[in-house]
Amino acid sequence: MSRTPIIAANWKMNMGPKEAREFLASLKSELCGDCKAVDKVVVPPFITIPTVMEVLDGCDCLGVGAQDVSDRDSGAFTGEISTTMLNEIGCKYVVLGHSERRQYHGETSAYVNKKVKKALAAGIIPIYCIGETLEQRESGQLETILKAQIVEGLADLTPAQAATVVVAYEPVWAIGTGVTASSADAQSAHAFIRSVLAEGFGQEAADAIRIQYGGSVNPGNAVELMGQADIDGALVGGAALVAASFAAIIKASI
Ligand code: PEP
């Protein structure tokens, strides 16, 4: 089944409004007509999102995502941002369960599940991140960990809802380290993830779900990774802070 590749730039706590303007101007000059075949997304810090929207000026050539969202509707939740606010500003995606939020903010898959359901109810596409630590991989727990993260994080979704989710497989040991999973290891993990999705939601939904690879993707390794049958794009951190390398990764997925 053919799935439209999706390449997303997770800017993390980088790129204030001024830098984002410069990045978008460079990106515009780097992208080509063929890039239309790829869904391209930037995921800025909340404070930068209005500037990105202003520069895009209604153009749907680039999707915009948030790096997190609250599981609550509104009210006394200091520091939180709701799905209603993301909708108001035009965010179509939200990254949920990133390993940095799991690690530094204690987010569990069960908690992230509440956010996944909130996002779906608001019509926002979750980019749901999963992945094992090096210790878990080396002790033979890879499949157990991935399966638990999928089952708990995507609990209670209908097959139709699940089909719209983007899953990002990001081995924790590959994030920001310069060490990438080999294309064979990544493909094998992606195929396993798709089999778990098929068990939970049926083959049709599993075949529709886009599974991104994340973890030190760069222009040098992107072609081989994106060429794997079950790799449908990338969630990119460091290399997506430079417009030329983000564009090169987009082109690698065509
Ligand atoms: C990420 O944070 O999602 C990520 C994959 O980062 P990097 O590309 O820098 O490893």
Side-chain angles (χ1 to χ4, degrees):
M1 141 148 216
S2 82
R3 293 175 286 268
T4 304
I6 175 167
I7 307 289
N10 176 15
W11 285 347
K12 312 193 188 194
M13 200 170 71
N14 299 292
M15 292 272 195
K18 183 173 172 291
E19 273 180 290
R21 271 184 207 283
E22 290 162 7
F23 176 98
L24 293 171
S26 309
L27 185 65
K28 201 173 168 190
S29 64
E30 297 279 351
L31 294 180
C32 57
D34 290 347
C35 297
K36 290 199 179 94
V38 181
D39 285 346
K40 304 162 287 294
V41 180
V42 290
V43 186
F46 287 123
I47 201 165
T48 302
I49 294 174
T51 301
V52 172
M53 294 303 184
E54 183 200 310
V55 173
L56 290 178
D57 193 22
C59 175
D60 63 1
C61 45
L62 200 59
V64 181
Q67 295 179 16
D68 190 25
V69 77
S70 177
D71 64 318
R72 316 290 182 119
D73 286 326
S74 64
F77 302 104
T78 303
E80 295 281 60
I81 297 285
S82 70
T83 50
T84 308
M85 294 170 187
L86 294 188
N87 266 333
E88 187 176 336
I89 199 141
C91 272
K92 294 215 164 57
Y93 301 87
V94 62
V95 171
L96 295 174
H98 191 279
S99 73
E100 287 149 17
R101 295 214 57 90
R102 292 178 190 262
Q103 183 180 351
Y104 303 125
H105 300 272
E107 296 196 9
T108 62
S109 297
Y111 175 55
V112 176
N113 176 247
K114 295 184 189 182
K115 300 184 182 203
V116 168
K117 289 190 277 194
K118 237 336 152 213
L120 287 169
I124 298 168
I125 298 173
I127 299 179
Y128 175 58
C129 304
I130 60 173
E132 81 289 359
T133 62
L134 190 57
E135 197 188 353
Q136 288 164 339
R137 173 175 273 261
E138 288 180 342
S139 60
Q141 296 179 74
L142 171 67
E143 295 193 348
T144 312
I145 295 293
L146 294 183
K147 185 167 186 174
Q149 290 174 333
I150 295 166
V151 169
E152 289 166 29
L154 302 183
D156 309 323
L157 270 53
T158 64
Q161 285 177 317
T164 67
V165 170
V166 175
V167 174
Y169 168 59
E170 300 203 299
V172 178
W173 46 270
I175 297 179
T177 59
V179 179
T180 320
S182 69
S183 51
D185 281 350
Q187 165 56 27
S188 142
H190 280 232
F192 174 73
I193 290 165
R194 203 175 301 286
S195 74
V196 174
L197 293 168
E199 268 172 44
F201 304 108
Q203 195 62 51
E204 197 182 327
D207 283 341
I209 295 172
R210 293 179 294 176
I211 308 175
Q212 296 176 309
Y213 171 79
S216 298
V217 174
N218 61 47
N221 57 31
V223 174
E224 197 180 331
L225 284 162
M226 297 308 125
Q228 304 303 309
D230 287 289
I231 300 186
D232 309 312
L235 182 56
V236 190
L241 294 173
V242 177
S245 39
F246 183 50
I249 295 167
I250 291 167
K251 289 173 190 167
S253 72
I254 298 171

